Amino acid sequence: MIALILRDVRRGYTGGGATLVVIFFLLVATLFPFAIGPDAALLARVGGGVVWAAALLAALLPVERLVAPDLESGVLDQIAVRGRPMAAMAAAKIVAHWIAFAPPLMLAAVVAAGLLDLSTDMLRRVEIGLAIGTPGLAALAVATAALTASFRGAGALAGLVMLPLAVPLLIFGAGALDPAADIGGAFKLLGAVSLLLVAGAPFVAAAAIRAGME
């Protein structure tokens, strides 16, 4: 499974997936100020939520490349023939996807903070929230990729599946940015949702992959 993780991480960075995620993320952060105007106070107030929404949308981009290529090329069949648990394979893909997209996203958030005029404290909250929430996003992306791998037009379908399920991450992640909110409580709720997704996604993905292989 370590070899699978390294292969997927290498494919994520060399195949342009991480670059595409960062470009899309920064594009959203760049366009948003043009949409609402140069009001610095307004940008600072809503900027954290913009970062979270952009992160959620950026996590959708590589979904089609997470499971479908391996299903079509027979890699997953070989893993099944060797008796390796599909849930363990899905967990390996979650780890690889997180490594491939979360660190570049968190670095890009620093640039986005400058574009949105976020304070240092707000940036710190954003980074902590992303560190807690991105494992859940990675798990949800892999589960969604497995569920949609056998369908045509999986990209559009993946959005319909993933976005509603990611709403709790968005709510608690953005909620932690409210100066009047209980930061510790918001991060705990965010962590609980992220942990639930990480724990359940491998089994959902494994069941979906087995169904797609039949």
Side-chain angles (χ1 to χ4, degrees), residues 5 8-9 12-13 18 21 59 62 66 90-106 127-142 194 198:
I5 292 173
D8 282 3
V9 170
Y13 280 106
V21 167
L66 295 179
K93 282 191 167 292
I94 290 171
V95 173
H97 181 45
W98 184 86
I99 294 173
F101 100 98
L105 193 68
M106 293 176 68
E127 293 289 4
I128 294 173
L130 288 176
I132 297 172
T134 47
L137 280 179
L140 189 55
V142 171
S194 185
V198 170

Side-chain angles (χ1 to χ4, degrees), residues 60-153:
L60 270 174
L61 294 180
V63 165
E64 288 185 81
R65 299 191 297 271
L66 295 179
V67 174
D70 288 342
L71 185 62
E72 293 171 359
S73 63
V75 171
L76 300 182
D77 292 308
Q78 292 297 319
I79 292 175
V81 167
R82 294 179 183 180
R84 301 294 178 86
M86 278 296 165
M89 184 280 304
K93 282 191 167 292
I94 290 171
V95 173
H97 181 45
W98 184 86
I99 294 173
F101 100 98
L105 193 68
M106 293 176 68
L107 289 174
V110 178
V111 179
L115 295 172
L116 296 169
D117 200 25
L118 299 184
S119 65
T120 302
D121 179 63
M122 187 67 71
L123 175 60
R124 179 178 62 84
R125 296 190 191 189
V126 168
E127 293 289 4
I128 294 173
L130 288 176
I132 297 172
T134 47
L137 280 179
L140 189 55
V142 171
T144 302
L147 288 168
T148 60
S150 301
F151 298 96
R152 292 183 178 179

Side-chain angles (χ1 to χ4, degrees), residues 132-179:
I132 297 172
T134 47
L137 280 179
L140 189 55
V142 171
T144 302
L147 288 168
T148 60
S150 301
F151 298 96
R152 292 183 178 179
L157 183 59
L160 293 176
V161 173
M162 183 174 172
L163 289 178
L165 295 176
V167 167
L169 290 173
L170 181 64
I171 291 174
F172 296 130
L177 305 178
D178 186 354

